[in-house]
Amino acid sequence: MGGSGTVSVIVIGAGVFGLATGLGLAEAGIKVRLVAATAPDLTASGVAAGMLAPAFEMALDPPAPEALDLLLASRDLWPDLAARLGVSLDRTGAAAIGPEAWLDGLEARLAALGLEGRPAGRAEMEAMSSGLGSRFPRALVTPQDWRIEPQAALQAMVRRLQDLGGTLETGTFTLRDLEHAVSPVVLATGADRRLEGLVPELASLSPIKGQILWQPGGALPPTGVIRTPGAYLLGSGGGFLAGATMEAGRSDLAADLEAQAELRGSLADVFPAVATEGWVTRVGVRAASPDGLPLAGAASRPGVFLAVGARRNGWLLAPLVAKIVTAAITGEDAGRWAARLDPLRFTRHGNGEK
Ligand SMILES: Cc1cc2nc3c(=O)[nH]c(=O)nc-3n(C[C@H](O)[C@H](O)[C@H](O)COP(=O)(O)OP(=O)(O)OC[C@H]3O[C@@H](n4cnc5c(N)ncnc54)[C@H](O)[C@@H]3O)c2cc1C
């Protein structure tokens, strides 16, 4: 299938997985009809920080052991994707600031991963950001972690998809729609498991609620990303973002002031001037698979493909997931990472055993 411009694929979901996959298919000459219950800016993808962070994610909260090469492979697809979208990619890098013992542990984990983490002294730290307290004398800097501005990238993906003849509709795709679908269907449905009755692989996903705080304006915004124990701060949308809570098992979108106070507390040691008032709360729900990596490729139901389960790294992993799912539909070689992300890996032998 593919290449003729006459074949249609229905993609469900307008987060970064649905849009990146829809784009991959449209670029392969396939007609794409994208249906989503939530507009792109209101998805988990729309509220995310947009860090493309293989180094600090592997060192601070690895999605899975030995996932570094996979994360790097996807990050390295971003320059080309960003160029096709006409959006800028921030390759300034990221810095960690905090207690010596925490920095030492981080430095050791980066070194064990074979990644560069170089020290930076006060002068360089102050050039990175205003508002830094005087408590910590050094930072650890990695050039490996990049960033994309999510809202701009989502808008650019929609524009490019439409330029290539794809359509974007608002609506909810139901079990009945799936049962009667005659075209291939890509489920990029995030943490939503309403379709698991026909696609049992979706049952392996669990939700992790995330709250992120945006402060308009102010003197604080750093260049690049600054990580502290338990939080990060970065400039975004003319202000700055402080993120993010990780609330496993929760899929509600309610603001939770206690969790937010904890998040601000994690930043306060490094940024004592961080405000307690004036934050705008944004909430998204991440979908996590049991091994922390996405399900990308053909589902057990014929004609259904999955692009779900990104946990904390949906932005980072989107180009790789899009490439694998596109290849699964067009019949091209999906590359070396496809087997690792096989959607059937938790269900093939029952009960998640491989
Ligand atoms: C606070 C926060 C910060 C984050 N920061 C980062 C970061 O810095 N870097 C990074 O890489 N990742 C980050 N993430 C993770 C990342 O945002 C997610 O992994 C990613 O957004 C998941 O994208 P998705 O397309 O799978 O799902 P979503 O963005 O959740 O999109 C799902 C889409 O599916 C639609 N949908 C679901 N079911 C149906 C249905 N039945 N019919 C129609 N439509 C349906 C929804 O309406 C929505 O449009 C963050 C997440 C959060 C919450």
Side-chain angles (χ1 to χ4, degrees):
M1 176 193 306
S4 69
T6 56
V7 177
S8 296
V9 172
I10 304 171
V11 178
I12 312 302
V16 65
F17 273 12
L19 283 166
T21 304
L23 206 52
L25 291 164
E27 286 171 341
I30 292 174
K31 282 190 182 169
V32 173
R33 180 183 158 213
L34 197 143
V35 181
T38 315
D41 54 329
L42 301 175
T43 61
S45 306
V47 307
M51 296 179 291
L52 312 175
F56 279 152
E57 286 298 309
M58 281 303 292
L60 289 166
D61 186 7
E66 289 158 33
L68 178 66
D69 285 356
L70 185 149
L71 301 190
L72 288 171
S74 193
R75 184 207 59 182
D76 290 344
L77 294 171
W78 263 107
D80 185 50
L81 177 56
R84 295 199 318 274
L85 292 172
V87 296
S88 60
L89 189 60
D90 180 352
R91 294 170 72 158
T92 312
I97 302 177
E100 278 301 301
W102 181 73
L103 280 189
D104 286 346
L106 203 48
E107 195 166 10
R109 286 194 292 281
L110 286 181
L113 290 161
L115 294 171
E116 182 189 349
R118 68 167 180 83
R122 281 300 300 187
E124 193 178 344
M125 287 161 70
E126 274 154 28
M128 283 173 205
S129 179
S130 57
L132 282 176
S134 55
R135 209 168 140 196
F136 303 115
R138 73 173 176 117
L140 187 66
V141 175
T142 177
Q144 298 286 352
D145 290 357
W146 306 342
R147 189 174 168 265
I148 193 97
E149 190 66 63
Q151 296 285 346
L154 289 169
Q155 280 168 24
M157 285 179 179
V158 170
R159 274 197 307 273
R160 181 155 169 83
L161 180 67
Q162 289 173 334
D163 286 350
L164 292 168
T167 58
L168 176 55
E169 299 163 34
T170 304
T172 299
F173 197 75
T174 64
L175 279 169
R176 197 180 144 74
D177 294 326
L178 188 57
E179 207 165 4
H180 294 98
V182 287
S183 304
V185 178
V186 176
L187 299 181
T189 40
D192 194 310
R193 286 176 28 182
R194 275 177 293 183
L195 299 173
E196 78 181 49
L198 290 174
V199 186
E201 294 76 25
L202 292 176
S204 68
L205 299 177
S206 54
I208 306 176
K209 174 177 169 180
Q211 300 181 67
I212 191 165
L213 306 175
W214 181 68
Q215 178 90 235
L220 277 176
T223 53
V225 174
I226 295 188
R227 303 269 192 155
T228 71
Y232 55 77
L233 192 77
L234 53 91
S236 174
F240 54 98
L241 278 177
T245 67
M246 288 283 283
E247 295 159 68
R250 288 190 57 180
S251 52
D252 62 279
L253 296 178
D256 172 349
L257 299 183
E258 214 171 294
Q260 293 181 16
E262 205 175 307
L263 185 64
R264 286 196 310 269
S266 302
L267 284 171
D269 279 350
V270 175
F271 294 99
V274 86
T276 51
E277 307 285 330
W279 292 97
V280 178
T281 306
R282 295 172 180 168
V283 189
V285 181
R286 316 160 179 99
S289 75
D291 66 7
L293 294 175
L295 314 183
S300 55
R301 186 179 174 84
V304 176
F305 299 82
L306 295 182
V308 291
R311 196 171 176 268
R312 282 168 69 105
N313 292 302
W315 278 93
L316 173 58
L317 290 169
L320 185 64
V321 165
K323 191 175 166 193
I324 290 171
V325 178
T326 299
I329 293 172
T330 59
E332 320 236 310
D333 177 12
R336 64 181 286 221
W337 302 113
R340 182 89 193 267
L341 302 186
D342 182 354
L344 308 188
R345 67 191 185 276
F346 303 112
T347 45
R348 190 177 286 123
H349 302 299
N351 294 329
E353 288 170 28
K354 287 194 194 179

